[in-house]
Amino acid sequence: MGRLRNLLIGLTLAAGLSAAGAAPAQAQLGAAMRDRLVVITSESSTAITRMLTLSFTERFAGVTEPLVRHLPSSAAMELFCAGIGPQTPDLTIVVRRMPRTMLETCQSNGVRDVVELRLGLGAVVLAVRRGEATPNLTARQVWEALAAERVNDEEFVVNRRSLWSDIAPNLPRNEIRLIMPARGNGTTGLFEDMILEGGCRDVKAVRLLFDAAYRRGKCITLREDGRVRVLDGVEIPAALLASPPGTIGLLSYDQLLASGGNLIALSVDGVLPTQASIFAQDYIATRTVYLYAKRQHTRLREGIGVVRGVREFLNEATSEGAAGPGGYLGVTGLVPLGPAERAEQRRIAERLTLISR
């Protein structure tokens, strides 16, 4: 709670409101208007958020550039759901869908009118530097290389394998090294869910574990012997370029594209992450980028509300010029949804249709 309070106070001050006058929120919806949107973005959707806020500011005359803050996906949703009023965010852009439990937290804090939009598709990739070996890995091999424990004669033992060739003879004799973001980052979350759990689910010793939480722990708990290095997500591309040969980095598809060809993606389970494989969701670690907005913050005709621009921002985010084929969000690695899905998202944005689940 202390961390959340500090974040709310920081947003209040950055948005030009007094901390003392920021609560209670609901009593101030008409009186304490903000002149700029506040957007919380997950670290993995930073590039998308930056492009959207710049385009939104340029498109609408007299608009103050939105205030953007970067947090891990779970923290971004937590802050979004902290309440309503000028001291709380208007929008959040994340790379995982809001869980039902978080939506219930929103509602219990007064955030009842939530709009959910799907902006497009992205992916988590394993990458190496250009010119290095690009092994065709399976999710099972990735888990066997990185898990804290491996299976030996149906028993779990400490994982001491040091080379990729220890996992399978066709893999290079490179040291097992991975650079990845910390827990709470959307990239790490998808890596755990799709690649690590996907790689261990068919292991007999894992299947025999009855307790689901214990089973998941065996799948996603990584070794702590120095072979897995944790960094801030935005630092990973540069760190990978400066790392010893054979090091693999875990990053988002947009970070891969932004490297200008200096980083090369590895295939997982025989599928290389490309626009086509991500759109078809053939690539195992594909994800959807979501935008959440508070309809309660929208300024209505009567002048009541927290801030102007919520509806306009949603319309911009779902426009063909942004999220369609050839749209400017393509340079961030966002893969467009299909035509019918894009049309549906535009209708939700125009009508501010509330989430229903």
Side-chain angles (χ1 to χ4, degrees):
M1 288 299 294
R3 182 191 68 166
L4 186 58
R5 175 174 170 79
N6 290 337
L7 287 170
L8 289 171
I9 291 174
L11 289 179
T12 298
L13 297 176
L17 301 171
S18 68
Q26 294 190 24
Q28 300 184 12
L29 291 181
M33 296 287 293
R34 266 197 271 107
D35 66 351
R36 65 196 304 199
L37 291 170
V38 175
V39 185
I40 305 300
T41 178
S42 69
E43 294 168 347
S44 301
S45 54
T46 297
I48 292 170
T49 304
R50 183 174 62 250
M51 292 287 288
L52 279 175
T53 54
L54 289 174
S55 180
F56 170 76
T57 305
E58 293 171 357
R59 183 177 295 273
F60 297 97
V63 168
T64 303
E65 184 175 345
L67 173 68
V68 177
R69 288 292 180 266
H70 312 270
L71 291 170
S73 287
S74 56
M77 286 188 279
E78 181 184 3
L79 187 58
F80 175 82
C81 289
I84 61 170
Q87 82 284 6
T88 66
D90 309 301
L91 308 150
T92 187
I93 300 176
V94 291
V95 292
R96 56 170 53 187
R97 197 178 192 197
M98 184 180 290
R100 184 178 296 276
T101 53
M102 184 59 70
L103 186 59
E104 291 170 353
T105 298
C106 263
Q107 293 169 345
S108 67
N109 289 334
V111 187
R112 299 181 305 274
D113 297 350
V114 177
V115 179
E116 178 187 72
L117 292 170
R118 288 173 290 145
L119 299 185
L121 300 169
V124 168
V125 302
L126 295 168
V128 296
R129 291 183 299 192
R130 182 177 58 189
E132 295 191 5
T134 55
N136 296 311
L137 296 173
T138 66
R140 172 73 173 267
Q141 290 169 343
V142 174
W143 175 73
E144 289 183 349
L146 302 176
E149 296 179 320
R150 66 181 183 88
V151 177
N152 183 30
D153 292 332
E154 306 303 321
E155 297 289 334
F156 290 97
V157 299
V158 175
N159 187 1
R160 302 192 188 282
R161 290 167 169 165
S162 60
L163 303 175
W164 283 98
S165 56
D166 295 335
I167 308 299
N170 63 311
L171 296 180
R173 288 184 55 81
N174 287 335
E175 292 281 341
I176 296 171
R177 294 191 185 92
L178 177 77
I179 305 176
M180 65 180 293
R183 276 283 184 85
N185 184 289
T187 297
T188 301
L190 192 66
F191 176 65
E192 291 176 345
D193 294 345
M194 304 303 293
I195 296 183
L196 292 179
E197 283 206 77
C200 81
R201 68 166 58 101
D202 292 328
V203 177
K204 183 179 178 181
V206 174
R207 290 202 317 269
L208 292 175
L209 298 175
F210 178 76
D211 183 79
Y214 186 59
R215 188 167 59 245
R216 177 173 167 82
K218 291 295 186 184
C219 290
I220 69 171
T221 301
L222 301 183
R223 50 201 302 176
E224 297 181 348
D225 55 1
R227 296 191 177 276
V228 177
R229 181 182 173 197
V230 175
L231 294 175
D232 189 288
V234 297
E235 299 175 357
I236 290 178
L240 182 56
L241 290 171
S243 293
T247 303
I248 293 175
L250 176 68
L251 55 153
S252 60
Y253 185 62
D254 61 289
Q255 288 178 310
L256 177 77
L257 295 186
S259 76
N262 289 313
L263 300 177
I264 305 298
L266 305 181
S267 64
V268 179
D269 290 340
V271 180
L272 194 67
T274 64
Q275 279 213 339
S277 65
I278 293 168
F279 175 76
Q281 299 191 45
D282 292 331
Y283 178 66
I284 186 175
T286 298
R287 63 187 175 190
T288 302
V289 180
Y290 289 91
L291 190 161
Y292 291 93
K294 296 174 183 175
R295 194 170 75 175
Q296 289 154 288
H297 280 201
T298 302
R299 190 170 186 264
L300 305 177
R301 290 188 183 89
E302 296 81 5
I304 299 172
V306 172
V307 67
R308 299 178 65 182
V310 172
R311 186 192 304 268
E312 291 81 0
F313 192 93
L314 301 190
N315 288 338
E316 174 64 22
T318 56
S319 68
E320 287 293 279
Y328 61 78
L329 291 180
V331 302
T332 70
L334 190 76
V335 176
L337 301 171
E341 291 177 283
R342 296 199 307 276
E344 179 189 3
Q345 301 311 302
R346 287 196 297 275
R347 285 193 296 270
I348 293 172
E350 290 166 1
R351 301 171 185 174
L352 293 179
T353 306
L354 299 183
I355 188 173
S356 59
R357 59 178 164 95

